Amino acid sequence: CMIAQKYGRIINISSAAAAGVKGQVIYGTSKAGILALTSGVALEVAQLGITVNSVMPSAKTRLLDAFLDAVSAGVVEVPANAMQGFELGLPDNNAPIVTYLASERAGGTTGRAFNIDFAGNLRLVRVASEVKCLRKEVWTEQDIERVMPVLLSEATC
């Protein structure tokens, strides 16, 4: 139907656990697969007026309860202000990005992943894409050690 209409919006639901969360490896791996699916399908249907994006919601779930228990037990550390001012579990926290991506206004946005985290940060998440590139004809281990801080430096919230 979307192909015939030459229009459509597909929004996959992944999770912030796709980036790797201690104690949630299996779940995170499956959610990372959704991000790869999103990127691949977006490329397949790009010329058809169909967009494909992922939302990685932060929501109140049993997995979140287990994560918060791990934080309380000191097994997992989070920044002191990581969850201040954010009411856990409200669908209202994630609904605006889903609504936007489903709208006509999001026509130029495809193959992307978004997260609104527990601190209220809206994040565009890179999925298996190049972040930085440094060129050298032949690399030695010492060269790599020298440039690694440059490669790994990224601005975050």
Side-chain angles (χ1 to χ4, degrees):
C1 189
M2 288 184 191
I3 293 172
Q5 296 177 108
K6 294 195 179 285
Y7 178 86
R9 301 288 182 260
I10 299 171
I11 303 165
N12 295 319
I13 304 301
S14 181
S15 170
V21 175
K22 187 175 182 177
Q24 297 182 9
V25 173
I26 295 169
Y27 177 75
T29 300
S30 68
K31 293 303 183 175
I34 290 172
L35 299 179
L37 174 73
T38 298
S39 299
V41 174
L43 292 171
E44 295 287 334
V45 299
Q47 301 304 312
L48 301 173
I50 301 167
T51 64
V52 186
N53 292 289
S54 288
V55 174
M56 305 163 74
S58 298
K60 181 80 169 129
T61 64
R62 289 186 312 257
L63 279 173
L64 177 62
D65 289 339
F67 176 74
L68 294 175
D69 289 345
V71 170
S72 294
V75 175
V76 175
E77 292 183 24
V78 296
N81 65 347
M83 293 187 264
Q84 291 177 355
F86 190 88
E87 212 170 327
L88 293 175
L90 293 181
D92 292 352
N93 297 334
N94 298 290
I97 187 66
V98 173
T99 302
Y100 173 77
L101 292 172
S103 75
E104 289 185 17
R105 297 182 315 269
T109 304
T110 193
R112 304 296 185 145
F114 299 90
N115 169 254
I116 298 178
D117 69 15
F118 291 125
N121 299 307
L122 172 60
R123 297 177 185 275
L124 170 61
V125 179
R126 284 194 176 110
V127 180
S129 66
E130 183 177 291
V131 176
K132 290 185 180 175
C133 176
L134 301 174
R135 172 101 175 96
K136 188 172 190 311
E137 209 163 300
V138 177
W139 288 93
T140 66
E141 184 179 345
Q142 292 76 22
D143 292 331
I144 293 170
E145 180 180 11
R146 183 179 44 78
V147 300
M148 193 58 68
V150 173
L151 259 168
L152 296 177
S153 65
E154 291 184 51
T156 60
C157 290

